[in-house]
Amino acid sequence: MKRHNGLAGVITWLACMALSPTAQPAVMSTVSLGSLRAELTDLDLADGRAPSLSFSSRGLEDNLIYAEAIGARSAYSDHFGSSLFEPAARSAVVGGVSAAAILRGSGAFEGSFMQAGGAALSPGSFYAGVLAPRAGDRSNFTLSPNTRLVVSGLSNAALQTTVGGSEWADLYVRLWLGGPCADGGPGFQGSTDEVHLLVGLDAAGQYSATGQAHSMSDRLFSVSFVNRTALPMDGNLEMFIAANGATAVLPAIPEPGTVWLLAAGLGVLAALRRRQSKPICPAARCGHRK
């Protein structure tokens, strides 16, 4: 009996090993936007005016930097800048869930660097984002007469899920310029360049059965704005990046090899129990043969 109980213990241990997960659920997402440039082109060389671009602050909530982590508890941190491109950083951590957002630079457009990211190494979700500058309903730049403006930047990003199921991660990059019609007449001009990357969910919102990964390297974002009038023109610039994701504890799906191992072990255990349940000859109990 002791030998049989010991073998049953080993089989039980093998069964537990077969059913244990081979990877921990985890998601991550990170995105950045930098190498920002503003290129000006003179559309009327004969007017004797040099192209120029100037930014103006509303003095309140010019930028938004936000980080949020949700697990067994939740935490968030936000910053509303009081000047355009004001450097700041925010982070939030709850257990194995973290998020961070940062805007670096000297407070000027060129030279600024934006980054947002997060990870969930335990059940929970995260969100991190940078919006700088916030366009809102007020213009934040002035462009000289007869000038074309091109704003550009480079973005790098990576995101992944690990085991599939109820895991997902996504990120977003958006560059936008807008304002009055180029010739000063009625209407509006706008230029947008944006990318949305998503892993873990398909177009129908169904979860992937396995882990997934995606990345973006030095992707050029570029938008334009034109002033063809003889007067300075006000417009709006908005740059936005965001990263978020979520994961949950999932039932482990054994690998095929471990399933066969488990089945074989349970078969042996069943055979042992069948043998134990068979009637034993009285003579055998006494050590005699029939």
Side-chain angles (χ1 to χ4, degrees):
M1 276 296 292
K2 289 183 179 180
R3 181 174 171 232
H4 293 164
N5 288 339
L7 184 55
V10 171
I11 294 172
T12 302
W13 176 79
L14 289 174
C16 293
M17 291 297 292
L19 293 174
S20 66
T22 58
Q24 289 290 339
V27 301
M28 63 82 63
S29 177
T30 180
V31 58
S32 67
L33 180 63
S35 301
L36 298 171
R37 295 183 61 190
E39 300 178 62
L40 302 177
T41 302
D42 194 338
L43 301 178
D44 187 358
L45 299 175
D47 66 3
R49 297 179 178 179
S52 65
L53 171 68
S54 61
F55 288 95
S56 58
S57 168
R58 73 184 74 191
L60 177 67
E61 298 185 0
D62 281 317
N63 304 320
L64 170 61
I65 301 173
Y66 185 85
E68 179 179 31
I70 299 175
R73 297 176 295 108
S74 62
Y76 75 91
S77 180
D78 57 27
H79 173 78
F80 293 88
S82 57
S83 63
L84 291 171
F85 313 110
E86 176 186 351
R90 287 294 181 267
S91 63
V93 179
V94 174
V97 183
S98 61
I102 185 170
L103 173 62
R104 294 202 305 260
S106 61
F109 166 71
E110 295 199 21
S112 292
F113 177 81
M114 308 162 58
Q115 186 169 23
L121 305 181
S122 60
S125 62
F126 62 86
Y127 174 85
V130 180
L131 179 60
R134 300 179 70 197
D137 56 359
R138 182 178 181 273
S139 300
N140 54 33
F141 73 83
T142 301
L143 185 65
S144 58
N146 294 306
T147 304
R148 181 174 188 262
L149 166 65
V150 175
V151 172
S152 62
L154 294 178
S155 179
N156 290 275
L159 66 170
Q160 73 173 38
T161 60
T162 306
V163 299
S166 54
E167 293 183 325
W168 62 269
D170 74 346
L171 55 86
Y172 191 68
V173 183
R174 179 175 184 261
L175 203 56
W176 177 78
L177 279 174
C181 190
D183 61 7
F188 180 85
Q189 64 172 309
S191 178
T192 303
D193 194 354
E194 58 190 341
V195 165
H196 177 213
L197 299 180
L198 170 68
V199 296
L201 292 173
D202 61 20
Q206 299 299 311
Y207 288 111
S208 167
T210 60
Q212 295 182 332
H214 201 350
S215 64
M216 181 170 65
S217 179
D218 284 342
R219 200 276 200 185
L220 176 65
F221 285 78
S222 180
V223 289
S224 61
F225 183 89
V226 178
N227 177 11
R228 293 190 179 276
T229 72
L231 298 173
M233 181 180 287
D234 294 337
N236 281 313
L237 166 66
E238 189 170 88
M239 302 182 296
F240 173 63
I241 61 171
N244 61 125
T247 185
V249 174
L250 306 173
I253 301 176
E255 296 292 332
T258 55
V259 171
W260 284 112
L261 177 63
L262 174 60
L266 293 178
V268 172
L269 184 58
L272 288 174
R273 294 201 171 174
R274 260 198 321 271
R275 183 179 176 185
Q276 287 177 347
S277 63
K278 287 182 179 180
I280 301 176
C281 172
R285 282 201 187 100
C286 301
H288 299 289
R289 299 192 181 193
K290 288 176 71 176

